[in-house]
Amino acid sequence: MPLSVEEYQIAQMYMVMKMQQQNTSGREGVEVLENKSFEDDVFGKGQYTSKVYHLQSKVPTWLTTFAPADALIMKEEAWNAYPRCKTVIQCPYFTKFRLTIETVHKADNGLSENVHGLSKEQLAARQVEHIDIATLSTDYWSYMVGGGSGVDLSKFKSARTGRGPLLEGWQNKCNPVMTAYKLVTVDVPYWGFGYRLEQALLAGERALFLESNRNSFAWIDEWYGMTMQHIRELEQESDSLLNEVLMGPRWKGKGSEAKALADPMSKIVLQLQSSLIKSEAQGLLCGCSVLLGTEAQEADLLNRSCFGVPITTSEKSKQWFQLGMEEAFYLHYSLKCLMIVDENKHLMNDEQLWLYMKSKKETFPDFYKAYSHLRMKNWVVMSGVRYGVDFVAYRHHPALIHSEFAVLVLSPEEENGCWHGNSRLRTWSDIHCTTRLCGGVVKTLLVLNVSRNGDNAITPSCTEKFTVYEYTIARWLPERCREDHMVVKSKTSDSAVAEDGTDMQVPSKVLGTPPIEEG
């Protein structure tokens, strides 16, 4: 690098911050969990960071045959005791996988032989590769990692320092000059694809080293003159921004948001309601679900509004759907567009259907109240069983956007001496496990605490007396100061900070009508 060792520290921090911002969107990117100072006997004093990389689209296609793309999330821990650094990258899905990068920065032109102090055996196994930032690469990984400066360093000259261009042999002519010596150790002990994955990772790291260090020099006029205090302040702002962007709406591909804006969910549900009323639709009660046969138009509206699951049958004239109890009762009671008959073809009224569903599921009153609470705010609500929760909530159709909230339905009350809610989040270990899972799949844990206010829920009209309290629960980050948090309470939501630091808050618009519905 045509930089001093001291300059490179600032350049590297600026480069990491900027590249993270470039590669983070509502769907993928970098989530910063921790960023704090540390001191130990190995490195001395330095900065510790913990990050999660959600970069599923950059995963090679062949690897998705061994694991779903959503599972290929990388977790990074880094100890930066400049000029020495160590980074460890792991993947929770492949528990035996481990990638370690140890870096030593020296003020030389790259000719030092053994800066890491390797043994004779390690030196014999080591493969040395020189990376020249003045070169360009056009392989697969360079394309996937790219998107940085795009500057030809053989023609680039810094306006503020006068350094450059980097012509052939620049390493022996530039002053100052320094080298980042990186020792990469990868362990992928999996039969069948371990070696292929190992080679892909090494190629990816090489492309990342080249692109990131090219950017460090190409952006010199942006960072030159910054102090360590200034760069740390920018880093903290960037970390907060990254997490806000990553936890925002994650649209599936270009044009998805525009499609949703053009066809809001509230409009689709109104069309479905009108169509079902006009056709005098009847659902057949079958165990813990309702079967509904529809014509093509109604089938399309049910699919677009995300009610029920299509069932494949031999009947060509109708498309059948299986509705969950909360879905069916919402269409029957709240939207008043679906009649339901029992197995004897007898039409069921509101009270009969309510008592039947309550007999099948003790927590049905609470779950129905929670389901209708979200649906009335135009959130799409679907089963959350694959994520270990009760529901997941989407801003629009799952084909256009990923779900934002993993929802648990709780009740704080007892009925006849018995707890009628589910038993989730009764211990801190369950809270920690659930928040970790939600973080891993990029969802916010939303708890809907349904209070019956002493009502015994004999009829469906009782739900009008129920109160829903909304909480979002997130893992507390150690770099946050506890004194910075306030306890916030309102008529519809509560917020608190638990004694162990788990942060439970409700943003002012967390359960309002999705922004896409506004206007």
Side-chain angles (χ1 to χ4, degrees):
M1 299 291 295
L3 308 170
S4 68
V5 173
E6 293 74 22
E7 289 172 338
Y8 184 76
Q9 184 177 17
I10 300 293
Q12 183 186 45
M13 293 175 67
Y14 182 85
M15 171 271 298
V16 169
M17 180 175 61
K18 187 170 179 177
M19 288 188 69
Q20 285 179 166
Q21 291 177 359
Q22 289 179 338
N23 288 281
T24 299
S25 65
R27 296 183 297 146
E28 297 186 345
V30 184
E31 178 186 2
V32 182
L33 301 180
E34 294 185 60
N35 189 345
K36 63 181 181 181
S37 58
F38 79 94
E39 183 175 0
D40 63 22
D41 297 334
V42 178
F43 293 100
K45 294 182 178 180
Q47 195 76 10
Y48 168 82
T49 57
S50 174
K51 302 176 183 178
V52 177
Y53 291 89
H54 304 272
L55 303 174
Q56 295 90 322
S57 67
K58 299 184 185 298
V59 174
T61 304
W62 63 265
L63 186 56
T64 59
T65 61
F66 299 95
D70 287 345
L72 300 175
I73 295 173
M74 311 302 284
K75 294 190 175 182
E76 176 195 278
E77 289 185 288
W79 296 263
N80 187 345
Y82 198 82
R84 293 179 59 204
C85 306
K86 181 178 179 179
T87 301
V88 176
I89 299 174
Q90 295 176 291
C91 177
Y93 192 84
F94 295 109
T95 56
K96 298 179 182 179
F97 161 76
R98 185 181 179 91
L99 177 68
T100 304
I101 305 168
E102 299 172 75
T103 308
V104 176
H105 303 91
K106 291 194 66 177
D108 64 18
N109 61 355
L111 298 180
S112 297
E113 284 295 327
N114 187 15
V115 297
H116 293 96
L118 302 180
S119 65
K120 291 183 179 180
E121 292 77 12
Q122 290 173 321
L123 287 172
R126 181 187 67 174
Q127 297 179 1
V128 179
E129 186 169 353
H130 295 274
I131 299 177
D132 181 358
I133 65 169
T135 61
L136 290 170
S137 181
T138 57
D139 62 8
Y140 168 83
W141 284 107
S142 297
Y143 171 76
M144 296 303 292
V145 172
S149 64
V151 175
D152 184 351
L153 297 185
S154 66
K155 299 177 181 178
F156 169 79
K157 185 171 183 176
S158 167
R160 298 186 65 183
T161 66
R163 300 177 197 177
L166 302 184
L167 303 176
E168 185 176 356
W170 65 268
Q171 300 94 330
N172 301 317
K173 302 172 185 177
C174 287
N175 185 30
V177 66
M178 57 82 59
T179 303
Y181 292 91
K182 294 185 176 289
L183 177 64
V184 181
T185 306
V186 60
D187 186 19
V188 192
Y190 290 96
W191 183 86
F193 67 95
Y195 176 77
R196 188 176 182 183
L197 179 57
E198 178 183 312
Q199 295 304 306
L201 288 167
L202 291 174
E205 288 298 321
R206 183 196 183 283
L208 180 60
F209 295 155
L210 176 60
E211 180 69 17
S212 61
N213 285 285
R214 280 175 52 81
N215 289 339
S216 294
F217 182 60
W219 294 332
I220 186 171
D221 290 339
E222 299 178 30
W223 59 258
Y224 187 77
M226 285 187 179
T227 63
M228 182 58 68
Q229 180 180 355
H230 187 194
I231 200 73
R232 287 293 183 202
E233 291 173 356
L234 290 177
E235 191 177 52
Q236 289 182 358
E237 293 176 6
S238 176
D239 290 350
S240 299
L241 177 63
L242 289 173
N243 289 344
E244 288 179 9
V245 171
L246 191 61
M247 295 306 290
R250 297 182 298 136
W251 298 99
K252 295 182 177 180
K254 294 181 179 180
S256 296
E257 184 174 6
K259 291 179 182 178
L261 283 169
D263 195 17
M265 187 54 62
S266 56
K267 177 182 175 182
I268 300 172
V269 173
L270 283 175
Q271 291 173 344
L272 173 65
Q273 182 184 27
S274 175
S275 179
L276 291 176
I277 292 174
K278 185 177 180 180
S279 66
E280 298 182 346
Q282 287 189 358
L284 173 63
L285 192 60
C286 182
C288 293
S289 60
V290 173
L291 301 180
L292 176 61
T294 63
E295 304 296 335
Q297 180 183 359
E298 290 177 350
D300 178 63
L301 289 170
L302 283 166
N303 279 320
R304 288 167 56 203
S305 57
C306 302
F307 281 99
V309 178
I311 301 175
T312 303
T313 66
S314 59
E315 189 175 355
K316 295 182 179 180
S317 60
K318 283 189 176 183
Q319 171 64 63
W320 286 85
F321 285 80
Q322 183 178 19
L323 300 170
M325 290 197 295
E326 292 82 12
E327 292 177 309
F329 199 78
Y330 183 76
L331 293 173
H332 170 81
Y333 180 75
S334 295
L335 299 187
K336 302 189 184 303
C337 61
L338 177 65
M339 295 178 285
I340 297 178
V341 298
D342 61 19
E343 57 185 10
N344 297 317
K345 307 298 183 182
H346 294 149
L347 198 64
M348 303 185 73
N349 60 33
D350 297 346
E351 287 72 21
Q352 290 172 331
L353 186 59
W354 174 264
L355 292 175
Y356 174 86
M357 291 185 171
K358 189 178 175 183
S359 70
K360 291 293 185 181
K361 185 177 181 179
E362 184 181 3
T363 57
F364 175 74
D366 306 310
F367 276 62
Y368 171 70
K369 180 63 178 180
Y371 179 89
S372 61
H373 178 78
L374 295 173
R375 269 290 185 177
M376 287 179 178
K377 294 176 180 289
N378 293 315
W379 290 90
V380 171
V381 188
M382 303 186 74
S383 172
V385 65
R386 66 183 295 187
Y387 301 110
V389 293
D390 300 319
F391 300 115
V392 286
Y394 299 78
R395 286 176 182 255
H396 207 275
H397 196 284
L400 300 179
I401 191 170
H402 292 276
S403 57
E404 290 182 48
F405 294 104
V407 183
L408 282 176
V409 182
L410 305 183
S411 176
E413 301 168 354
E414 294 184 0
E415 183 178 315
N416 298 324
C418 298
W419 190 277
H420 59 70
N422 65 35
S423 58
R424 295 299 304 273
L425 306 187
R426 302 289 292 276
T427 62
W428 284 117
S429 58
D430 188 22
I431 293 177
H432 294 324
C433 291
T434 307
T435 53
R436 279 183 174 271
L437 185 149
C438 291
V441 293
V442 200
K443 302 187 193 312
T444 299
L445 177 60
L446 173 64
V447 176
L448 298 183
N449 208 328
V450 181
S451 174
R452 300 188 183 184
N453 296 319
D455 197 283
N456 53 14
I458 295 178
T459 64
S461 61
C462 295
T463 57
E464 297 174 7
K465 302 177 183 178
F466 290 7
T467 304
V468 178
Y469 296 92
E470 305 161 359
Y471 301 84
T472 57
I473 304 180
R475 294 174 63 199
W476 175 66
L477 300 182
E479 68 270 18
R480 292 178 180 171
C481 178
R482 292 174 186 263
E483 285 75 13
D484 290 341
H485 288 284
M486 295 177 61
V487 175
V488 181
K489 293 188 177 181
S490 67
K491 293 181 180 179
T492 60
S493 62
D494 288 341
S495 174
V497 178
E499 291 182 0
D500 75 334
T502 300
D503 186 14
M504 299 183 290
Q505 296 184 337
V506 185
S508 59
K509 292 186 179 180
V510 68
L511 272 187
T513 301
I516 196 170
E517 299 288 346
E518 293 178 359

